[in-house]
Amino acid sequence: MVGETVRTVGFAGGTHADGDAAASRPATHRARVDRADRSLANHHGRCCGTDGRGLGQQHPHKGTVVSSVSPQRAAELYEVRAVLKGMAARQFVEHASEEQVRQLREVYDTIATGQGVAVELLEAKKRFYDTLLTGSGNVTIKEIVEGLQARVTVLRALSLVQPDRAAKSVAEIREIVEAVEARDPQRPADSCARHVRQAARTALAAMASG
């Protein structure tokens, strides 16, 4: 449950993930924070353990602290995702049905008409990539990307809350959808990889600025 809170709220690495801080974040429900706190209490006896996904660590007298990710590690994670999602976009064009293409457009329309709130955009983007990965027909890529997801969601939240990044992200997703609809395998592959790398640049710049 702490993983849910970290991923949803977007705590920075090394941040104390306490309930009051989480509750003060936009679009965070107190009930979710309370559930996370109860989950942590169940594991109170564990000293310096992890939450199961490597997102948080239990420390005596501190509670749960979000695990730090070095800039080098963050860059590596983003680049792996850029390559894999580019491959998935190419294979989506090659294998997806017309219905799956329509579903991808519908998810994008939901993103485009949203309010630009980082938490909501992250959730909508997850649906977008779920559709893309499923339609690619490549189970291995889907499994690897989903396995990386918990490690990078804090970074993605950090990227999306930077000035103008949410709007640029929506525009980049539109470019992916339009390339898919043109049924040109290379265009969506390039657009998808570029989208991830743009997010990487934003997140890494935010990390560098402290």
Side-chain angles (χ1 to χ4, degrees), residues 87-208:
M87 292 173 60
R90 173 190 292 276
Q91 293 181 16
F92 183 91
V93 171
E94 295 171 345
H95 303 297
S97 66
E98 289 299 325
E99 175 63 17
Q100 287 172 316
V101 173
R102 184 186 63 77
Q103 290 173 356
L104 198 70
R105 163 60 72 171
E106 288 179 353
V107 176
Y108 164 72
D109 288 342
T110 299
I111 294 172
T113 56
Q115 300 300 311
V117 178
V119 171
E120 295 176 357
L121 184 53
L122 280 173
E123 292 174 348
K125 287 182 68 178
K126 181 182 183 303
R127 293 195 299 273
F128 180 85
Y129 279 113
D130 283 346
T131 303
L132 185 77
L133 292 166
T134 299
S136 74
N138 192 317
V139 176
T140 301
I141 290 179
K142 188 173 188 292
E143 289 177 347
I144 295 173
V145 171
E146 289 176 349
L148 292 172
Q149 199 73 0
R151 301 185 186 184
V152 299
T153 302
V154 172
L155 297 171
R156 292 171 64 214
L158 177 63
S159 173
L160 285 173
V161 298
Q162 303 308 307
D164 300 326
R165 180 56 204 159
K168 291 177 180 177
S169 181
V170 173
E172 291 160 11
I173 294 170
R174 182 183 68 243
E175 183 178 304
I176 295 169
V177 173
E178 291 175 348
V180 164
E181 292 173 337
R183 289 291 187 172
D184 178 352
Q186 190 58 43
R187 277 183 57 199
D190 292 343
S191 295
C192 206
R194 184 163 52 249
H195 170 60
V196 176
R197 288 174 178 136
Q198 291 284 12
R201 279 190 277 273
T202 303
L204 291 171
M207 292 177 73

Side-chain angles (χ1 to χ4, degrees), residues 41-84:
N42 290 336
H43 298 279
H44 182 70
R46 295 167 57 192
C47 175
C48 298
T50 65
D51 70 346
R53 288 189 174 91
L55 291 172
Q57 294 182 332
Q58 300 292 317
H59 291 272
H61 314 299
K62 291 184 179 180
T64 298
V65 176
V66 179
S67 300
S68 297
V69 177
S70 70
Q72 176 63 33
R73 180 66 166 163
E76 292 171 359
L77 290 168
Y78 268 112
E79 184 57 25
V80 170
R81 291 175 64 246
V83 172
L84 291 176

